[in-house]
């Protein structure tokens, strides 16, 4: 999505009494971060058919609290969006968006480099390995608006569809908080692939996707979803009175190549997330470490 670095308003949860961020991660949390998660039967086939998968109990509450406190601290520190919700457009009301937090904090870097999610990403997209495209925190404030229908790969100058996002809520996310929801099978729909996220994508895609069995599902604490770069998705408003705090990690096939940017967003993404990579070359700048298996910069 659009590389903007919005700023932390009061609506983001206050700091908790978490330990200082330079204290070492407890061994049990570190082990969990890298341990394999066995895909339940049928989930790989589900992902390939529907373009997304919602996995249960991927992370423990302890792990999410440990890394989540630091992610929220960084969001408060780096967010630049302080306007009241009423003064923003639809995209601005959807969430506070802070990107590549792994470059800002060793503890967030540890989380983003975790092998559990990276291994799942490689398995799901059928790649021998995956690299990081970028991470981003997406905090839907209390009273925050919808996330309009869109497909992420519109923003990405990459030459295959072996791309996917892990959506990691840092709290239980009931329907009233605006969990992410997907149009199953829509990764095969080519209509709308030229639409950026906003009022137009919401209006047009809502019509075009009306035959898809779209269903909103609550996320329990520890659930994680993965969606493919071309899968259409959206989220509802946050009517809960509390911020919806979510971390995301975008993975790509480790052999994926840069294509000539097709729009201004892809140009901006090239400069921001793939600096120095030439068109036609493997998308492997220093910002794109191999996360699974651990390889170059990994
Ligand atoms: O968290 C949201 O509301 C939107 C997330 C999203 O669009 C994404 O991760 O690709």
């Amino acid at each position: 999505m659009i590389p903007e670095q919005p700023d932390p308003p009061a609506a983001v949860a206050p700091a908790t009494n978490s330990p200082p961020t330079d204290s070492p991660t407890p061994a049990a949390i570190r082990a969990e971060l890298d341990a394999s998660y066995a895909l339940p039967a049928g989930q790989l086939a589900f992902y390939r058919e529907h373009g997304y998968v919602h996995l249960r109990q991927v992370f423990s509450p302890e792990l999410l609290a440990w890394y989540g406190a630091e992610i929220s601290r960084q969001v408060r520190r780096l967010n630049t969006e302080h306007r009241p919700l009423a003064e923003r457009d639809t995209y601005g009301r959807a969430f506070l968006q802070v990107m590549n937090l792994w470059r800002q904090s060793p503890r967030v870097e540890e989380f983003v480099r975790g092998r559990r999610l990276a291994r799942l990403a490689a398995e799901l997209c059928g790649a021998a390995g995956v690299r990081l495209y970028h991470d981003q925190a997406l905090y839907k404030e209390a009273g925050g608006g919808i996330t309009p229908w869109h497909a992420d790969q519109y923003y990405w100058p990459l030459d295959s569809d072996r791309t996917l996002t892990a959506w990691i809520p840092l709290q239980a996310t009931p329907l009233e908080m605006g969990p992410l929801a997907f149009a199953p099978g829509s990764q095969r729909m080519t209509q709308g692939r030229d639409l950026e996220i906003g009022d137009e994508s919401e209006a047009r895609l809502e019509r075009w996707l009306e035959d898809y069995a779209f269903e909103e599902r609550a996320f329990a604490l520890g659930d994680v979803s993965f969606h493919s770069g071309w899968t259409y998705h959206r989220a509802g408003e946050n009517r809960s009175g509390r911020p919806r705090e979510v971390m995301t990690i975008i993975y790509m096939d480790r052999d994926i190549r840069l294509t000539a940017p097709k729009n201004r967003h892809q140009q901006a993404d090239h400069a921001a997330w793939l600096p120095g990579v030439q068109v036609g070359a493997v998308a492997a700048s220093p910002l794109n470490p191999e996360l699974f298996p651990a390889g170059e910069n990994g």
Side-chain angles (χ1 to χ4, degrees):
M1 278 189 287
I2 305 171
E4 283 169 4
Q5 294 253 347
D7 231 273
V12 176
T16 59
N17 57 353
S18 58
T21 54
D22 55 356
S23 49
T25 300
I29 291 179
R30 196 69 194 76
E32 177 186 336
L33 186 67
D34 287 340
S36 300
Y37 172 98
L39 270 176
Q43 298 291 37
L44 178 60
F46 186 97
Y47 177 84
R48 300 272 168 90
E49 174 64 17
H50 299 294
Y52 77 97
V53 70
H54 179 145
L55 301 173
R56 301 291 187 190
Q57 296 185 338
V58 177
F59 287 132
S60 66
E62 292 75 22
L63 183 147
L64 291 169
W66 179 261
Y67 293 108
E70 173 63 0
I71 292 166
S72 293
R73 198 175 77 83
Q74 294 298 334
V75 170
R76 282 191 296 276
R77 189 173 75 81
L78 297 165
N79 171 43
T80 55
E81 175 61 273
H82 297 295
R83 291 171 300 165
L85 284 161
E87 290 176 17
R88 306 184 209 161
D89 64 9
T90 302
Y91 185 68
R93 283 193 294 274
F95 37 64
L96 305 177
Q97 182 177 22
V98 185
M99 304 164 104
N100 262 6
L101 293 176
W102 75 284
R103 305 285 292 167
Q104 305 287 337
S105 153
R107 191 182 293 178
V108 180
E109 177 171 1
E110 188 174 277
F111 179 70
V112 168
R113 288 181 181 274
R115 303 259 185 277
R116 173 170 289 193
L117 292 184
R119 185 185 291 106
L120 279 168
E123 278 172 38
L124 289 167
C125 78
V130 288
R131 293 177 192 280
L132 178 67
Y133 185 56
H134 66 75
D135 69 46
Q136 57 182 345
L138 298 173
Y139 279 33
K140 198 182 277 294
E141 297 146 277
I146 64 159
T147 304
W149 280 114
H150 68 283
D152 302 330
Q153 198 139 343
Y154 164 78
Y155 293 95
W156 302 340
L158 300 173
D159 80 343
S160 92
D161 58 1
R162 286 185 170 179
T163 58
L164 67 176
T165 301
W167 195 81
I168 311 148
L170 302 174
Q171 71 292 299
T173 309
L175 297 187
E176 61 168 6
M177 258 192 176
L180 200 59
F182 312 92
S186 60
Q187 78 279 13
R188 287 185 289 275
M189 182 174 111
T190 51
Q191 206 173 11
R193 288 190 176 186
D194 55 349
L195 291 176
E196 64 181 61
I197 186 171
D199 292 327
E200 188 184 347
S201 70
E202 174 69 7
R204 289 191 184 214
L205 287 163
E206 188 178 34
R207 241 185 10 258
W208 293 337
L209 292 166
E210 67 189 4
D211 293 335
Y212 288 78
F214 163 65
E215 183 198 4
E216 285 181 304
R217 292 178 77 187
F219 281 65
L221 185 63
D223 290 3
V224 170
S225 66
F226 285 86
H227 62 273
S228 171
W230 283 119
T231 302
Y232 288 105
H233 52 285
R234 83 185 290 280
E237 299 165 342
N238 182 359
R239 302 185 308 276
S240 71
R242 286 165 294 137
R244 187 217 68 180
E245 302 181 346
V246 170
M247 182 62 169
T248 67
I249 305 174
I250 303 169
Y251 300 94
M252 56 187 174
D253 180 353
R254 71 173 179 201
D255 299 324
I256 211 163
R257 288 171 189 274
L258 176 72
T259 52
K262 295 183 187 62
N263 57 49
R264 68 189 169 91
H265 302 298
Q266 293 195 4
Q267 265 163 10
D269 264 36
H270 178 192
W273 317 127
L274 308 163
V277 177
Q278 302 296 311
V279 170
V282 173
S285 84
L287 294 187
N288 313 113
E290 283 187 49
L291 299 182
F292 183 82
E296 188 189 317
N297 304 321

